[in-house]
Amino acid sequence: MDQFHNVSNAFLELGKGYQEAIEDITKRMGAGMAKFILKEVESIDDYDEYCHYVAGLVGLGLSKLFHASGLEDLAPDSLSNSMGLFLQKTNIIRDYLEDINEIPKSRMFWPREIWSKYVNKLEDLKYEENSVKAVQCLNDMVTNALIHMDDCLKYLSELRDPAIFRFCAIPQIMAIGTLALCHNNVNVFRGVVKMRRGLTAQVIHQTKTMDDVYGAFFDFSCMLKSKVDNSDPNAIKTLSRLEAAQKTCRESGALNKRKSYIIRNEPKYNSFLIVLLFIILSIIFAYLSANRSSY
């Protein structure tokens, strides 16, 4: 708060259209977050409402700022909201262990309506004896997040400005990639699960057009789909949502003309194996040379 005058001065230097968008969203976000200081996330509706206040409204605010700049048409609120919810739900899923271990009090954002199907207390998911139920609950949470994929693809497909497009698209690809890593992965309850830096750099470098987005969503959906256990209680719903997104990607026509993106890379060989192969070939060559000279 000591530096708030800098925020205020910067705000007052903005154009009226930007000020109105920021003022509106900030008021609504503050009121919503205050509501959840005392309110627990009980139902899936509560979960969606909480994510709306902390992230969906950011999506709405950014859409208003893009429109105020004259660079984009004003996106529908439902699509803007989904953009925020997809990112926020991914973060909540990935950050389970950090949030539950928060001192002095746990942060609990997973809705009781979901986790109570598997354990008696949310913190029970982190214990090794509950690993099977924990992973089933995790998959339930991931499946809930996947419902926003089609809205995100539709929102991104309507953007025109290249800089705004990349600003919006890269986090969404990171989100579907993170969900692919988290799904059916007990390590979410043991430590940090996140995309490798090299893959992150690849996403940032290669995401330039909507074709790149369709390709990335398709590839990460394939990765996630390959991890679905048919015995999982949510398997049918998970597969249905993945296949719906994959259908959208296929129907775009982008998959037929794209370069390989995440999964379909040319094979990369471990440097140790290359060195080992070189040593073996050297030994064989030396052996053959010795035999040749003895004749």
Side-chain angles (χ1 to χ4, degrees):
M1 295 302 293
D2 289 343
Q3 300 296 320
F4 185 75
H5 61 279
N6 292 322
V7 178
S8 180
N9 290 338
F11 175 78
L12 294 172
E13 289 174 2
L14 297 174
K16 186 176 180 182
Y18 297 118
Q19 287 188 10
E20 289 175 348
I22 293 170
E23 184 178 357
D24 172 53
I25 295 302
T26 304
K27 282 182 178 178
R28 291 162 65 184
M29 185 181 294
M33 293 175 75
K35 177 179 179 180
F36 275 89
I37 290 175
L38 300 175
K39 180 180 173 64
E40 295 290 336
V41 181
E42 297 284 347
S43 66
I44 292 174
D45 285 344
D46 291 339
Y47 182 46
D48 286 344
E49 184 182 10
Y50 171 77
C51 291
H52 167 73
Y53 289 135
V54 301
L57 284 173
V58 176
L60 268 67
L62 286 171
S63 293
K64 289 185 177 184
L65 294 177
F66 300 154
H67 183 246
S69 72
L71 296 172
E72 301 289 352
D73 294 331
L74 184 60
D77 285 356
S78 60
L79 299 186
S80 301
N81 189 59
S82 279
M83 288 282 285
L85 264 62
F86 192 54
L87 299 182
Q88 185 65 21
K89 288 183 176 183
T90 299
N91 290 340
I92 286 173
I93 291 166
R94 181 198 61 198
D95 294 340
Y96 165 84
L97 192 63
E98 177 185 338
D99 289 338
I100 208 70
N101 288 336
E102 180 72 13
I103 296 172
K105 184 181 179 182
S106 297
R107 293 190 297 239
M108 294 188 283
F109 304 120
W110 289 32
R112 182 185 296 271
E113 185 177 338
I114 289 180
W115 62 256
S116 63
K117 292 187 285 184
Y118 306 95
V119 286
N120 294 323
K121 294 184 291 185
L122 183 56
E123 56 264 35
D124 290 346
L125 294 172
K126 69 180 181 179
Y127 300 124
E128 196 166 343
E129 61 267 25
N130 297 322
S131 293
V132 173
K133 290 294 185 182
V135 168
Q136 291 176 349
C137 183
L138 169 65
N139 294 345
D140 203 339
M141 290 288 291
V142 171
T143 302
N144 172 273
L146 295 178
I147 200 169
H148 303 292
M149 281 195 299
D150 273 339
D151 278 355
C152 293
L153 290 172
K154 189 170 183 180
Y155 181 99
L156 293 170
S157 70
E158 297 296 324
L159 295 175
R160 300 190 303 257
D161 182 81
I164 290 175
F165 174 80
R166 278 173 51 82
F167 173 80
C168 294
I170 290 170
Q172 300 297 328
I173 294 175
M174 295 292 292
I176 183 60
T178 300
L179 290 177
L181 291 176
C182 289
H183 187 269
N184 218 39
N185 187 352
V186 74
N187 289 322
V188 170
F189 306 100
R190 306 288 180 264
V192 179
V193 174
K194 61 181 180 180
M195 289 171 60
R196 293 178 290 105
R197 289 181 180 180
L199 183 54
T200 299
Q202 189 177 352
V203 169
I204 293 170
H205 176 68
Q206 291 188 215
T207 304
K208 296 181 174 66
T209 68
M210 194 61 207
D211 285 358
D212 298 325
V213 173
Y214 285 129
F217 264 72
F218 186 84
D219 282 346
F220 281 126
S221 293
C222 287
M223 183 191 299
L224 202 162
K225 189 175 179 180
S226 71
K227 296 171 68 178
V228 175
D229 184 342
N230 289 331
S231 66
D232 185 85
N234 296 281
I236 294 174
K237 189 184 295 186
T238 307
L239 291 171
S240 174
R241 290 178 182 175
L242 288 171
E243 287 161 5
Q246 289 177 332
K247 182 173 182 287
T248 299
C249 294
R250 279 194 295 267
E251 290 178 350
S252 72
L255 304 184
N256 299 324
K257 56 188 177 182
R258 71 193 180 109
K259 294 180 180 179
S260 59
Y261 188 80
I262 302 298
I263 296 174
R264 294 170 176 78
N265 287 326
E266 295 179 2
K268 295 182 176 66
Y269 299 101
N270 186 293
S271 57
F272 172 76
L273 294 178
I274 293 174
V275 172
L276 184 62
L277 179 62
F278 179 77
I279 292 171
I280 292 171
L281 290 174
S282 299
I283 292 171
I284 293 172
F285 178 76
Y287 175 77
L288 292 175
S289 298
N291 283 348
R292 192 178 297 116
S293 62
S294 66
Y295 288 117

